[in-house]
Amino acid sequence: MTTVSGYANESNPFGDSNLNEKFVWKKKIEKHISKGESIDEISVKSEKRRIKERMAEIEKAKKRREERAIERAQHEQEMVMLARERSRSEFQDLVKKEKEFHFNQSKIRSGIRLREGRIKPIDILSKHLDDSDGFDFEIDELDEPYMVFQGLTVKDTEELRDDIKMHLDLDRATPSHKRYWEALLVVCDWELAEARKRDALDRARVRGEQPPAELLAEERGLHSSIEEDVKKLLHGKTSSELEVLQTQIESQMRSGTAKVVEYWEAVVKRLHIFKAKACLKEIHTNLLCKHLGCLQNPVKSENISEDERDDLKPQVDEDIMHDVEANIHLLKTEEMVSEEEEEAGSFSPELLHDDEIQEAIDPDDDINELECKRQALHDNWELKASKEMGDVVEGDAVFGSGAEVNLDAQVYWWHDKYRPRKPKYFNRVHTEYEWNKYNQTHYDHDNPPPKTVQGYKFNIFYPDLVDKSKAPTYTIEEVEGSNGETCLIRFHAGPPYEDIAFKIVNKEWEYSHKKGLKCTFDRGILHVYVNFKRYRYRR
């Protein structure tokens, strides 16, 4: 089948069924002959040459059209890629702005907690780098930053790690800040692993089980005497000295000249934590030196440039470090002495009985009156709880004396400020016979079925909450080994009260107020009343 430019007689966009047939323009030929033109100029050969030239032009036009189509497709693809890249850049900017917003909000919340005395560990760590308040440091903040991990639970350490990670990602104002948060993250990971290990060992000891195999292998992997030798070797060295020591040890172990491989592996394993602590101690000492220098010469400190103010070198002169540590020890000693004197009442003014000050109150009488008011308050709360629960009906019994669960040792951030104590409670459990079809068939009133628990009424007394704006809460927790028959209800209120928990029956609750559900906190008493759902026995 012959074609012209890829088109045939049967298929072409022009609708020409004679497309491939040669066209002879007879009238034109006759016109040219009549004008005196030669036959050669209008011959078949010349016509073929002209047709060939036109076909070449058609092919060029077709090729240009295809090139333009390819360029247009490439341009559209480039525009799509640019739009996608622009969207990705905008999304990254939004994510960065969101992180910065949360970071700024965390600093605002930290300042609020510091003002209100609800300090969290991350607030103390951030305070070490903050010199915007005129270097007004508390005595507790003179300790090294890594001391904040002492006494924290696994959950608290995990939350603190998330806060440190956020500050590491966003607080990069100076190299010292970045180095500070990196070292804290190393210490936090180490402390978190140690806390998890202690929890696993304590849990196994309480249950009477063998500790996990990996913990036993780790405990047997290093002798206690080697552990002490490692600590003696690494303790007290600066970060630069530890860097040099690490380089030497790694060089010896690569070359095979290290004789006691077990010892040097233990040193390398623990060297990074000592190096992080040394870095934190040096940064902390530099900050204290800067604060003391600004306090001693405030005029000179105002003339220090911003670059000089932020340039905290990790290396500190030993004499300066010794002076700073001595000053810290002196400040702590003075604080302890002042606290003892204040407790003894040496600064209390003497009460003068004169005609001009007849309205003065004796401190002993004031204390006795306050104790009487507290006792009256404690005497009335049980009466209020009983009135709130209603009269005692058949099946009701006092609940809590034997159902209270001894929780694991609880350590709170407010331990040093308030004396933790358990709240008082007055609870009641409601039991009754369940006369379903099965019990009606197998039991009667002379031989009744066993009573089942139908609900509980909890009254927990929190009269001295520090933060009265936040109501106490409760959570339901699983009891290991109970096969789902029982669960724990834990009550949490905040300082100065410890958490308290009771073991209850694990059944589905009625969540309708019309069917007895109640959860209110009024006048220092948390009321939690709940009834269980009842299911009809069907065949």
Side-chain angles (χ1 to χ4, degrees):
M1 178 183 296
T2 58
T3 60
V4 177
S5 298
Y7 300 122
N9 290 337
E10 292 79 9
S11 60
N12 61 79
F14 315 108
D16 189 358
S17 60
N18 300 319
L19 182 66
N20 295 331
E21 296 180 3
K22 185 178 180 182
F23 174 73
V24 180
W25 198 346
K26 296 179 181 180
K27 294 289 186 179
K28 183 178 180 181
I29 294 173
E30 292 175 356
K31 183 178 180 181
H32 285 297
I33 292 174
S34 63
K35 289 181 178 181
E37 295 180 6
S38 63
I39 301 297
D40 294 337
E41 294 179 358
I42 58 175
S43 63
V44 176
K45 188 176 181 181
S46 62
E47 186 68 21
K48 286 183 178 180
R49 186 181 66 254
R50 287 192 294 269
I51 291 174
K52 188 176 180 181
E53 291 175 355
R54 287 196 295 269
M55 294 301 297
E57 292 179 359
I58 291 173
E59 290 296 331
K60 289 180 181 179
K62 185 177 179 181
K63 187 176 180 180
R64 287 196 299 271
R65 184 170 62 250
E66 292 176 353
E67 290 176 352
R68 285 196 301 271
I70 294 173
E71 290 177 357
R72 189 182 301 110
Q74 291 178 350
H75 178 71
E76 291 177 355
Q77 186 176 3
E78 289 177 358
M79 293 300 294
V80 170
M81 294 295 294
L82 287 174
R84 191 177 301 167
E85 189 68 26
R86 192 180 300 111
S87 299
R88 187 183 296 111
S89 177
E90 291 176 356
F91 177 75
Q92 291 176 352
D93 291 340
L94 289 175
V95 171
K96 183 179 179 181
K97 289 180 180 178
E98 183 180 5
K99 289 183 178 180
E100 291 176 353
F101 172 76
H102 288 297
F103 179 61
N104 293 331
Q105 290 298 112
S106 68
K107 292 197 290 187
I108 294 173
R109 290 194 297 270
S110 177
I112 295 173
R113 287 194 296 267
L114 287 170
R115 288 194 301 271
E116 296 180 355
R118 301 181 289 108
I119 303 176
K120 292 178 64 177
I122 190 63
D123 302 334
I124 299 175
L125 297 177
S126 301
K127 181 78 167 152
H128 282 290
L129 295 179
D130 186 14
D131 57 358
S132 60
D133 57 352
F135 316 113
D136 185 13
F137 267 66
E138 299 290 339
I139 294 299
D140 294 340
E141 297 168 10
L142 296 175
D143 293 329
E144 286 77 9
Y146 55 81
M147 299 298 291
V148 77
F149 294 98
Q150 293 183 355
L152 294 182
T153 61
V154 174
K155 184 178 179 181
D156 294 337
T157 309
E158 290 175 347
E159 293 178 357
L160 181 55
R161 189 189 186 281
D162 295 337
D163 294 333
I164 293 174
K165 187 67 170 61
M166 180 183 66
H167 281 74
L168 177 60
D169 294 338
L170 299 174
D171 189 8
R172 295 176 175 268
T174 61
S176 64
H177 285 208
K178 179 181 177 182
R179 195 164 58 247
Y180 177 79
W181 294 114
E182 287 177 346
L184 277 174
L185 187 61
V186 172
V187 178
C188 185
D189 288 337
W190 176 273
E191 294 292 342
L192 183 58
E194 292 295 317
R196 287 172 176 169
K197 186 194 304 181
R198 288 194 298 269
D199 277 8
L201 294 174
D202 293 341
R203 196 180 301 112
R205 190 182 303 110
V206 170
R207 296 175 183 172
E209 302 174 353
Q210 287 292 332
E214 58 272 13
L215 290 182
L216 289 176
E218 186 176 353
E219 291 292 328
R220 289 194 294 265
L222 189 64
H223 197 272
S224 59
S225 60
I226 298 180
E227 180 78 22
E228 292 298 326
D229 293 341
V230 171
K231 291 182 179 179
K232 289 180 182 178
L233 175 66
L234 301 179
H235 182 71
K237 286 184 169 57
T238 63
S239 59
S240 59
E241 292 173 347
L242 292 173
E243 286 281 359
V244 174
L245 179 61
Q246 183 178 6
T247 304
Q248 294 175 352
I249 294 173
E250 291 176 351
S251 176
Q252 291 180 5
M253 294 185 70
R254 282 196 300 267
S255 62
T257 57
K259 296 181 179 180
V260 187
V261 179
E262 180 186 12
Y263 175 77
W264 293 116
E265 286 180 348
V267 172
V268 173
K269 183 179 179 181
R270 287 155 178 80
L271 196 143
H272 72 285
I273 182 64
F274 279 88
K275 187 164 61 175
K277 288 185 177 181
C279 180
L280 289 173
K281 186 174 182 179
E282 291 165 1
I283 293 175
H284 180 62
T285 306
N286 273 286
L287 286 168
L288 292 180
C289 290
K290 184 179 68 173
H291 297 333
L292 292 176
C294 292
L295 290 174
Q296 293 174 358
N297 194 355
V299 177
K300 184 179 179 179
S301 64
E302 292 178 356
N303 299 327
I304 297 177
S305 64
E306 219 31 62
D307 296 334
E308 294 175 349
R309 184 182 297 274
D310 292 334
D311 186 16
L312 298 177
K313 298 180 181 180
Q315 296 294 332
V316 183
D317 187 41
E318 294 183 358
D319 295 335
I320 297 177
M321 184 181 294
H322 183 270
D323 294 339
V324 171
E325 291 177 353
N327 290 330
I328 293 174
H329 179 71
L330 179 61
L331 287 171
K332 291 183 178 179
T333 306
E334 292 177 353
E335 179 70 13
M336 293 173 62
V337 171
S338 63
E339 288 180 355
E340 292 177 358
E341 292 176 349
E342 289 177 2
E343 291 178 359
S346 59
F347 295 102
S348 300
E350 295 182 0
L351 179 62
L352 300 176
H353 295 282
D354 197 0
D355 295 338
E356 298 179 358
I357 51 171
Q358 291 297 329
E359 296 181 358
I361 301 174
D362 188 272
D364 295 333
D365 295 340
D366 185 57
I367 292 175
N368 293 333
E369 184 179 356
L370 183 60
E371 289 295 332
C372 291
K373 290 181 179 179
R374 287 178 177 174
Q375 187 63 36
L377 183 63
H378 283 274
D379 291 341
N380 291 333
W381 81 269
E382 186 171 339
L383 181 61
K384 293 179 181 178
S386 299
K387 184 178 180 181
E388 188 74 21
M389 288 190 294
D391 297 334
V392 179
V393 298
E394 184 180 358
D396 287 355
V398 177
F399 177 76
S401 58
E404 183 182 349
V405 178
N406 291 327
L407 300 173
D408 297 335
Q410 304 175 65
V411 180
Y412 303 96
W413 60 267
W414 41 265
H415 259 168
D416 296 334
K417 195 166 186 178
Y418 307 104
R419 180 178 60 84
R421 58 181 180 271
K422 284 190 175 182
K424 291 186 178 182
Y425 55 85
F426 184 61
N427 305 334
R428 187 181 295 174
V429 58
H430 177 64
T431 61
E432 64 179 31
Y433 303 121
E434 190 172 355
W435 292 106
N436 51 35
K437 292 292 184 181
Y438 179 86
N439 289 344
Q440 291 177 14
T441 305
H442 295 81
Y443 298 97
D444 54 26
H445 289 282
D446 296 331
N447 184 24
K451 289 185 176 182
T452 58
V453 177
Q454 301 297 328
Y456 296 93
K457 293 184 178 180
F458 296 95
N459 301 277
I460 317 297
F461 192 47
Y462 298 107
D464 300 322
L465 276 176
V466 174
D467 187 3
K468 299 183 183 298
S469 63
K470 294 182 179 179
T473 59
Y474 70 89
T475 55
I476 303 298
E477 302 176 359
E478 295 181 357
V479 177
E480 297 182 2
S482 65
N483 297 325
E485 295 179 357
T486 58
C487 61
L488 289 182
I489 181 169
R490 178 194 289 260
F491 295 95
H492 172 77
Y497 294 103
E498 296 179 341
D499 291 358
I500 188 171
F502 302 94
K503 185 181 290 186
I504 61 174
V505 178
N506 189 11
K507 288 185 179 180
E508 190 173 359
W509 290 14
E510 287 281 5
Y511 289 100
S512 173
H513 292 283
K514 295 181 180 179
K515 295 187 178 181
L517 180 67
K518 181 177 182 180
C519 181
T520 60
F521 181 62
D522 183 31
R523 297 180 182 179
I525 304 177
L526 175 64
H527 305 283
V528 179
Y529 299 167
V530 60
N531 291 323
F532 295 139
K533 283 188 176 181
R534 299 189 181 187
Y535 299 96
R536 295 184 180 275
Y537 176 76
R538 295 180 179 179
R539 293 183 179 179

